[in-house]
């Protein structure tokens, strides 16, 4: 979604009044006849912030008219104009004139003419009609550096105004070669301005969509809102529509809305079955602050088909997402008291739809949960009088509903109240927090008990009450640390000193009174509270190193600036950058920076101030011992049991039977330098003697080279049940499916940056190791000239039977003009 903070604000125009300032005349020789003055030889006229230079000048002091001949050069003004002409006329008071055989540059809003927003032009005749407006005859305009621009837009007559330039019957030239004839073209001179019109057309090729062609209309709806609507035609599938509305109000207020749709003609599989993957996806979000303490926020989505998103969303993470969430809440926060009202809807796909060999389409299985509404109140950490005791309260009242295969609950009322009192103590390096809480939760409906592992919930209209008390003692013993001096031969890696710290932690928790856990209907985390008697023990280690003293800084005189510009004003009358979805966004970067070399980068790096101490390594290990293996009788054998205590330890389910020991969780981070990051997280189940989850991440960048690697392994209890038939006993039972087992690898490597002149290239891939298949892959390359660049990409998606697509995309970018193609900035690998 576009960044709403980038919608430009109105810029007030301040009238320039040079007639109130005197004129300074300088030349080798001067003669005067009444108010008419003749100057020759190195003539220089200074008038306010403007300077006019020429070989010879006739100046009328009464009217302010200047007739200049020979090497005419005019500079200054509010836009720092810089005009070079053979000869011309100019009025110092009005700032208007006529110039012949001209090459010129104008900046914007006080920027210099060599700045990122400079606008360059040339012509046989240039008529200056105002402080920042010109008529260019038999000439061209460009945003490239002179004297040899990479691209030009030439025409018999070009109008350059305060805000935009436009021309009729123009020709676009690249490297002096005519490329495209344009009957009409309009372009904002100010790259931060917005203008209604047509965006640059989209052209691409896809193995599943066919040839893709489309365009969008961009409408400016005042200074605070805009609308984009468009359509694309897929030659193999049909028409696809899209639209985006954006509003930016005062403060943090905003409204965003976006939709996509496809009228799919469908296709016939090799087995002769017809498949239609069309659908609609609508998202919206908003925020409005009533006061500093009170606001309303909303974020919602409607998706007609999971298959549609998986088949046609270009973002891989969104394409494989199985969750749809919508939330609206009103909240008031002040002095540690929080009041909130909310409506929300969750929909999660738990079994993907598929097509059987006979062509039958089997629908997926999803779960839908509603809070309609929920009213919450929280008071955090308030002192009890003048004592060291702290108190807090959480309370809520909600209407809840759950829908899943073979089960649909009615709206269930739930009322929850939990007061807590705690005592923090510290001394001699020890820190403790002892807390005691009471909790009472009322449900208007309940679940029938007992039930087996795979039973479908049966709702009862019988109310149920859950009451509990909880004691929690959190202990942090003194940290142990030691400083080691590093031998000189290792100081270039580890610095002069290394400090090792060890921070132990102990947490005891005892919750009692919940003897009816199995009778509670499940809607959210508040319903996962169970009896527990547990001790968590863990240790966190840190390694810090003290770098070598910093080198003294040298004055390099260069500035390291980098930004990327693309998808800015459209050639055909629209002014807007675009994001990954083709949504216009206002350019937030200097437009000609992407194609400029970085200057002074090495010198700056060599004299950066070094931190006194840097964390190099951190590693946390933790485990819980459960003195009550059944959690008050809540554990059901051969099913994934998820309780509040297991979920707070690890997001990976591990409880399929009564047990006393949890898996060991490990969270490890390395940062050996500013160029390297390594993370390794794993859960090791000591009972099953296996790693239930492993996540490894590596990020490396050195100069213009960069790379990344990630590995994810899941080996946890399965979610679904299968029917097992015993033919000898003529019985059938449901058993928990095999472990959820997958291994995925992500790879990234490349050279270059979006700002680098010349060649840059990168590649990425996602691999399913278990199935030995490619999930996605992309290869990108770009080449940047002085003021334009070309990027090309080939992307591959392999998402089972739903999507097997290869896409060819490109983007041709002109500085301060825009981009043609459909490769967006946010989708680039470098």
């Amino acid at each position: 979604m576009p960044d709403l903070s980038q919608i430009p604000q109105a810029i007030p125009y301040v009238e320039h009044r040079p007639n109130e300032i005197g004129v300074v005349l300088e030349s080798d020789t001067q003669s005067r006849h009444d108010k008419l003055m003749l100057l020759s030889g190195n003539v220089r006229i200074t008038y306010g912030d403007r300077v006019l230079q020429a070989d010879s000048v006739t100046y009328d002091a009464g009217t302010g008219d200047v007739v200049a001949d020979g090497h005419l050069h005019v500079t200054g003004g509010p836009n720092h104009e810089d005009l070079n002409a053979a000869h011309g006329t100019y009025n110092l008071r009005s700032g208007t004139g006529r110039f012949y055989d001209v090459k010129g540059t104008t900046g914007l809003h006080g920027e210099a003419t060599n700045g990122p927003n400079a606008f360059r032009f040339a012509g046989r005749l240039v008529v200056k009609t105002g402080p920042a407006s010109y008529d260019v005859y038999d000439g061209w305009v460009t945003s490239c550096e002179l004297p040899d621009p990479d691209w030009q837009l030439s025409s018999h007559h070009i109008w350059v105004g305060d805000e935009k330039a436009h021309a009729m019957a123009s020709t676009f030239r690249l490297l002096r070669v005519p490329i495209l004839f344009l009957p009409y073209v309009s372009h904002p001179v100010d790259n931060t301005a917005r203008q209604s019109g047509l965006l640059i057309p989209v052209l691409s090729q896809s193995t599943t969509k066919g040839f893709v062609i489309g365009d969008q209309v961009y409408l400016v709806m005042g200074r605070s809102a805009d609308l984009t609507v468009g359509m694309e035609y897929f030659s193999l599938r049909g028409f696809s529509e899209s639209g985006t509305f954006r509003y930016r109000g005062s403060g943090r207020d905003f409204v965003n809305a976006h939709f996509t749709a496809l009228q799919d003609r469908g296709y016939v599989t090799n087995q002769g079955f017809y498949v239609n993957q069309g659908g609609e996806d609508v998202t919206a979000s908003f925020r409005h602050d009533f006061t500093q303490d009170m606001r309303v926020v909303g974020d919602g989505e409607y998706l007609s088909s999971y298959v549609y998103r998986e088949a046609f969303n270009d973002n891989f993470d969104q394409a494989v997402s199985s969750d749809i969430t919508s939330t609206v809440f009103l909240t008031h926060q002040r002095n540690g008291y929080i009041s909130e009202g909310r409506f929300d809807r969750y929909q999660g796909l738990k079994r993907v739809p598929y097509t059987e060999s006979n062509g039958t389409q089997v629908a997926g299985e999803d779960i839908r949960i509603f809070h309609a509404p929920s009213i919450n109140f929280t008071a955090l950490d308030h002192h009890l009088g003048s004592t060291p005791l702290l108190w807090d309260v959480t309370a809520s009242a909600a209407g809840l509903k759950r829908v899943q295969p073979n089960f649909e609950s009615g709206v269930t009322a739930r009322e929850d109240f939990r007061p807590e009192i705690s005592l923090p103590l510290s001394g001699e390096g020890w820190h403790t927090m002892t807390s005691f809480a009471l909790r009472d939760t009322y449900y208007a409906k309940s679940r029938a008990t007992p039930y087996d592992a795979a039973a479908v919930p049966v709702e009862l209209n019988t109310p149920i009450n859950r009451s509990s008390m909880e004691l929690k003692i959190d202990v942090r013993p003194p940290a142990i640390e030691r400083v080691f001096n590093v031998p000189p031969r290792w100081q270039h890696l580890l610095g002069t000193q290394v400090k090792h710290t060890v921070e132990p932690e102990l947490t005891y928790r005892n919750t009692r009174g919940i003897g009816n856990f199995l009778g509670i209907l499940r809607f959210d985390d508040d319903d996962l509270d169970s009896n527990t008697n547990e001790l968590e023990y863990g240790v966190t280690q840190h390694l810090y190193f003290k770098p070598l003293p910093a080198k003294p800084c040298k004055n390099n005189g260069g500035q390291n600036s980098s930004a990327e510009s693309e998808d800015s004003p459209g050639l055909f009358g629209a002014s807007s950058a675009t994001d990954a979805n083709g949504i216009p966004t206002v350019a937030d970067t200097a437009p000609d920076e992407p194609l400029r070399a970085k200057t002074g980068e090495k010198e700056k790096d060599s004299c950066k101030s070094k931190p006194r101490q840097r964390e190099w390594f951190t590693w946390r290990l933790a485990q819980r011992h459960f003195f009550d293996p059944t959690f008050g009788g809540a554990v059901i054998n051969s099913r994934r049991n998820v309780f509040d205590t297991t979920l707070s330890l690890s997001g990976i389910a591990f409880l399929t039977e009564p047990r006393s020991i949890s898996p060991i969780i490990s969270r490890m981070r390395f940062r050996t330098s500013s160029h390297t990051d390594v993370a390794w997280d794993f859960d090791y189940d000591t009972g099953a003697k296996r790693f239930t989850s492993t996540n490894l991440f590596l990020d490396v960048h050195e100069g213009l080279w960069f790379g990344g690697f990630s590995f994810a392994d899941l080996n946890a209890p399965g979610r679904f049940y299968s029917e097992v038939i015993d033919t000898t006993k003529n019985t059938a039972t449901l058993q928990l499916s095999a472990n959820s087992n997958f291994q995925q690898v992500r790879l990234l490597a490349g050279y270059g940056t979006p700002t680098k002149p010349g060649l840059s290239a990168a590649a990425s891939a996602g691999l399913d190791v278990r199935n030995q298949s490619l999930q996605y892959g992309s290869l990108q390359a770009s080449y940047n000239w002085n003021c334009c660049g070309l990027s090309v990409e080939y992307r591959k998606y392999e998402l089972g039977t739903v999507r097997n697509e290869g896409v060819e995309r490109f983007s041709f970018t002109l500085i301060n003009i825009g981009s043609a193609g459909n490769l967006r900035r946010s989708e680039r690998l470098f």
Side-chain angles (χ1 to χ4, degrees), residues 5-159:
S5 66
Q6 300 303 317
I7 293 180
Q9 302 296 319
I11 299 174
Y13 173 74
V14 180
E15 183 181 0
H16 184 58
R17 302 180 60 87
N19 56 321
E20 299 177 356
I21 304 175
V23 179
V24 178
L25 305 177
E26 301 173 82
S27 64
D28 293 340
T29 63
Q30 299 181 9
S31 62
R32 184 184 183 101
H33 304 279
D34 195 13
K35 293 186 178 181
L36 191 66
M37 302 188 65
L38 302 178
L39 302 91
S40 62
N42 299 314
V43 180
R44 179 185 177 93
I45 300 178
T46 303
Y47 192 79
D49 58 355
R50 297 181 186 273
V51 176
L52 185 150
Q53 296 172 288
D55 293 339
S56 63
V57 168
T58 300
Y59 171 62
D60 189 333
T63 63
D65 289 331
V66 172
V67 179
D69 189 37
H71 301 95
L72 174 58
H73 188 198
V74 179
T75 59
N79 293 315
H80 295 276
E81 66 185 2
D82 191 322
L83 302 180
N84 289 278
H87 59 94
T89 61
Y90 188 69
N91 186 279
L92 297 180
R93 298 177 182 177
S94 64
T96 61
R98 299 171 70 91
F99 306 91
Y100 298 87
D101 300 326
V102 181
K103 284 188 177 180
T105 305
T106 177
L108 293 170
H109 306 307
E111 291 192 14
T113 52
N114 60 352
N117 287 328
F119 194 79
R120 301 166 179 91
F121 54 87
R124 178 185 58 83
L125 170 64
V126 173
V127 179
K128 192 171 187 297
T129 58
S133 57
Y134 311 85
D135 282 359
V136 181
Y137 294 91
D138 298 330
W140 47 260
V141 295
T142 185
S143 59
C144 300
E145 293 182 355
L146 302 178
D148 296 315
D150 293 334
W151 70 266
Q152 299 171 337
L153 191 65
S154 60
S155 176
H156 171 67
H157 189 184
I158 303 172
W159 295 267

Side-chain angles (χ1 to χ4, degrees), residues 404-569:
Q404 67 184 60
N406 302 317
F407 174 75
E408 179 174 351
S409 73
V411 176
T412 302
R414 182 184 69 190
E415 299 172 2
D416 183 55
F417 181 70
R418 184 182 184 275
E420 181 180 39
I421 190 168
S422 56
L423 176 64
L425 295 174
S426 299
E428 302 295 330
W430 288 78
H431 302 274
T432 66
M433 174 71 80
T434 303
S435 60
F436 179 77
L438 299 175
R439 186 172 192 177
D440 187 80
T441 310
Y442 166 82
Y443 294 85
K445 297 182 180 182
S446 59
R447 179 176 181 176
T449 57
Y451 49 85
D452 57 28
V456 175
V458 176
E459 183 183 75
L460 301 178
N461 290 324
T462 305
I464 188 172
N465 204 76
R466 183 189 66 188
S467 299
S468 66
M469 59 180 64
E470 177 183 294
L471 173 66
K472 184 177 180 180
I473 303 175
D474 197 349
V475 181
R476 296 291 186 270
I480 304 171
E481 64 178 48
R482 183 176 178 181
V483 177
F484 301 89
N485 292 320
V486 179
R489 65 177 180 273
W490 297 106
Q491 288 184 0
H492 66 287
L493 292 176
L494 302 176
T496 58
Q497 292 181 330
V498 173
K499 181 168 73 173
H500 179 213
T501 66
V502 180
E503 301 171 2
E505 56 187 69
L506 292 169
T507 302
Y508 173 75
R509 179 186 176 195
N510 191 324
T511 303
R512 282 289 174 265
I514 306 177
N516 52 2
F517 178 85
L518 298 179
I520 304 297
L521 292 167
R522 308 284 184 263
F523 301 99
D524 54 33
D525 295 355
D526 288 342
D527 307 317
L528 300 180
D529 223 3
S530 68
N531 283 345
T532 184
N533 186 14
E534 65 187 51
L535 176 66
E536 178 179 338
Y537 39 89
V539 62
T540 302
Q541 302 186 65
H542 299 275
L543 284 178
Y544 303 90
F545 70 87
K546 184 178 181 180
L548 291 169
K551 297 180 181 179
C553 288
K554 298 179 181 179
N555 183 16
N556 54 52
Q559 297 297 324
N560 177 20
S561 61
S562 65
E564 182 176 3
S565 169
E566 69 156 312
D567 306 335
S568 49

Side-chain angles (χ1 to χ4, degrees), residues 153-229:
L153 191 65
S154 60
S155 176
H156 171 67
H157 189 184
I158 303 172
W159 295 267
V160 180
D162 293 343
E163 297 182 355
K164 65 180 179 180
H166 56 97
M168 305 286 290
S170 59
T171 301
F172 174 73
R173 301 174 185 270
L174 180 64
L175 302 178
R176 299 184 179 180
V177 178
I179 300 296
L180 184 63
F181 174 78
L182 301 170
Y184 174 79
V185 61
S186 177
H187 163 58
V189 177
D190 182 355
N191 77 312
T192 63
R194 299 177 302 150
Q195 174 184 315
S196 299
L198 295 175
L199 298 181
I200 298 176
V202 172
L203 301 172
S204 67
Q205 177 68 34
S206 165
T207 56
T208 59
K209 300 172 185 174
F211 178 71
V212 179
I213 182 171
D215 204 353
Q216 293 177 310
V217 177
Y218 178 66
L219 301 174
V220 176
M221 305 173 69
R223 60 174 295 177
S224 301
D226 53 29
L227 174 68
T228 306
V229 293

